[in-house]
Amino acid sequence: METLVSSPTPESLRMAGEILRSGGLVAFPTETVYGLGACAMNASAVRGIFEAKGRPGDNPLIVHVCDPSQLDLFCTPMPSLFPLMDRFWPGPLTLLMPRRPALPDIVTAGLDTVAVRMPAHPAALEMLREAGVPVAAPSANRSGRPSPTKAAHVLEDMEGRVPLILDGGDCQVGLESTVLDLCHGRPTILRPGGITREMLEPLLGTVDLAGSILRPLGDHEVARSPGMRYRHYAPRGLVTLVEGDESQVLEAMKRLYRRDEAEGRRVLLLCFEEHIPDLAGFAHCSLGSGRHPEETARVLFDRLREADTMQMDRIYSEVTPVQGLGLAVMNRLGRAASFRTLSAREVLGET
Ligand code: TXA
Ligand code: MG
């Protein structure tokens, strides 16, 4: 299959709408990451998403709408969701809602809730309007790869697997949406994202965090969000986080670098912009300013992909406080590292 990459023009958006209505796939930009869409009401179209991504069938998809009036077709939102939709849609907030039987099982992997969001990217909204149907879309990466935040990332993973990629430029948020569950007891964030806990609590009171956000899921623990079970966001090289005093972290990372390099490994340091001047002679990438987690969020997946392109064997990364968007950043970095963390003090003390 030939893959066409086009900026969102009236023609390409109309073509996207036609492809979606006729059961095909379209990759499209959102404000979070690029999505791989298919008509949510068409089971065989949705099957195509799982095939193109190589995604396990028990991991449910998010349904995208361009207007809350589309919800009635496939779900029955509880009244407690309306203030959230008013306040945060369109935007990076995905809400679980009780599903209707008309929605094919494959979308929800058999669950009785469906995850829904209204994206804020103008091209996504225009494409959804052209399609006229709700669109099921996971991130447009091959399963296990970091989510795509540029059309070039989508092409890397999906060339030949999808007829059309709409190129809407770099994604503004850079991490996937917040997934919020109001269907099962206390409000719980299943996946942190652009709409932070701090933004939700004034409307909801205390918001819980799913257990596996900052640590691995235990052997006998049930994931509230099936996606949390899978190794994710991971480049091929081994990622390790280095935490501790700012003054020690950089020294520790350099020591680890030299040790691995001496063993013949290719090593990359992921560091905040403020520390880049101290890294002459070390292969490194910037995570943006350590004072602005939104900068780190925007570039993180690109940096993890770059580590692959550069064929790095070992990647060491600084960490950021888990406040605001920092929580989502640390969730993705943590999962990329399988939560492997070293203390700078111990690294410096041990050799
Ligand atoms: O920002 C985003 O959310 C992007 C863009 C394209 O909208 N989409 C995205 O989709 O990240 P995906 O499939 O990569 O992640 C969906 C997450 C998974 O962790 C999945 O397990 C969870 O949402 N999820 C979907 N339906 C669910 C449900 N009914 N209950 C619990 N978790 C659900
Ligand atoms: Mg994904």
Side-chain angles (χ1 to χ4, degrees):
M1 176 191 302
E2 185 100 5
T3 298
L4 174 68
V5 182
S6 169
S7 59
T9 61
E11 295 72 41
S12 64
L13 288 163
R14 203 170 312 124
M15 185 195 297
E18 275 164 25
I19 294 173
L20 290 166
R21 273 194 309 280
S22 62
L25 304 183
V26 177
F28 62 100
T30 83
E31 78 282 23
T32 58
V33 300
Y34 275 76
L36 181 64
C39 171
M41 308 308 287
N42 178 338
S44 84
V46 174
R47 201 167 305 121
I49 294 177
F50 285 88
E51 281 162 16
K53 274 186 67 96
R55 180 175 173 116
D58 61 352
N59 194 3
L61 305 178
I62 296 174
V63 177
H64 296 68
V65 296
C66 59
D67 191 292
S69 65
Q70 289 183 302
L71 297 176
D72 279 350
L73 203 57
F74 62 94
C75 64
T76 52
M78 311 85 81
S80 58
L81 295 174
F82 297 138
L84 293 167
M85 294 193 263
D86 280 347
R87 172 81 178 77
F88 297 113
W89 280 11
L93 179 65
T94 295
L95 298 166
L96 297 198
M97 309 189 184
R99 63 178 283 203
R100 284 186 192 271
L103 188 71
D105 276 340
I106 184 170
V107 176
T108 66
L111 297 176
D112 53 12
T113 56
V114 57
V116 190
R117 90 176 185 102
M118 177 175 171
H121 196 294
L125 289 170
E126 199 46 49
M127 181 198 80
L128 290 164
R129 275 184 218 111
E130 284 287 347
V133 292
V135 168
S139 47
N141 50 288
R142 292 276 296 163
S143 202
R145 297 265 292 149
S147 293
T149 56
K150 307 166 178 286
H153 296 162
V154 181
L155 195 63
E156 236 169 63
D157 282 16
M158 290 295 160
E159 186 161 23
R161 296 172 178 273
V162 36
L164 176 62
I165 299 172
L166 293 173
D167 180 354
D170 293 1
C171 298
Q172 261 183 10
V173 180
L175 301 177
E176 307 86 342
S177 61
T178 304
V179 179
L180 180 67
D181 183 0
L182 257 51
C183 292
H184 305 94
R186 286 248 295 248
T188 304
I189 291 177
L190 304 185
R191 178 178 73 182
I195 302 299
T196 62
R197 184 189 208 175
E198 290 84 347
M199 293 160 82
L200 293 167
E201 288 193 326
L203 277 82
L204 294 173
T206 304
V207 173
D208 290 344
L209 300 180
S212 54
I213 285 177
L214 291 174
R215 60 169 175 79
L217 205 59
D219 279 350
H220 302 288
E221 211 172 343
V222 176
R224 284 183 63 172
S225 179
M228 289 294 189
R229 271 203 301 271
Y230 299 102
R231 184 182 138 93
H232 208 320
Y233 312 115
R236 293 180 195 96
L238 192 72
V239 184
T240 305
L241 311 182
V242 184
E243 64 178 20
D245 285 354
E246 210 185 336
S247 58
Q248 295 190 320
V249 165
L250 226 48
E251 274 327 297
M253 290 173 83
K254 289 178 180 177
R255 188 166 300 185
L256 292 162
Y257 187 106
R258 289 199 200 93
R259 186 198 66 190
D260 288 352
E261 195 182 40
E263 289 168 1
R265 298 209 166 85
R266 295 173 58 82
V267 197
L268 180 69
L269 303 183
L270 296 180
C271 291
F272 294 117
E273 190 61 36
E274 293 83 351
H275 299 148
I276 300 296
D278 298 325
L279 290 172
F282 296 87
H284 63 268
C285 279
S286 171
L287 291 175
S289 168
R291 287 188 298 275
H292 300 292
E294 58 284 2
E295 286 186 17
T296 308
R298 211 174 293 138
V299 300
L300 179 62
F301 288 148
D302 181 63
R303 299 302 181 262
L304 294 177
R305 279 178 180 261
E306 221 165 297
D308 273 349
T309 310
M310 297 192 280
Q311 298 188 303
M312 293 300 176
D313 305 308
R314 293 282 189 274
I315 299 138
Y316 295 98
S317 178
E318 290 196 73
V319 302
T320 194
V322 294
Q323 272 100 52
L325 198 55
L327 178 67
V329 168
M330 285 316 298
N331 167 254
R332 305 316 192 273
L333 256 178
R335 297 188 71 200
S338 300
F339 298 98
R340 211 176 0 261
T341 306
L342 292 174
S343 129
R345 200 155 40 89
E346 284 172 25
V347 171
L348 295 176
E350 99 193 348
T351 28

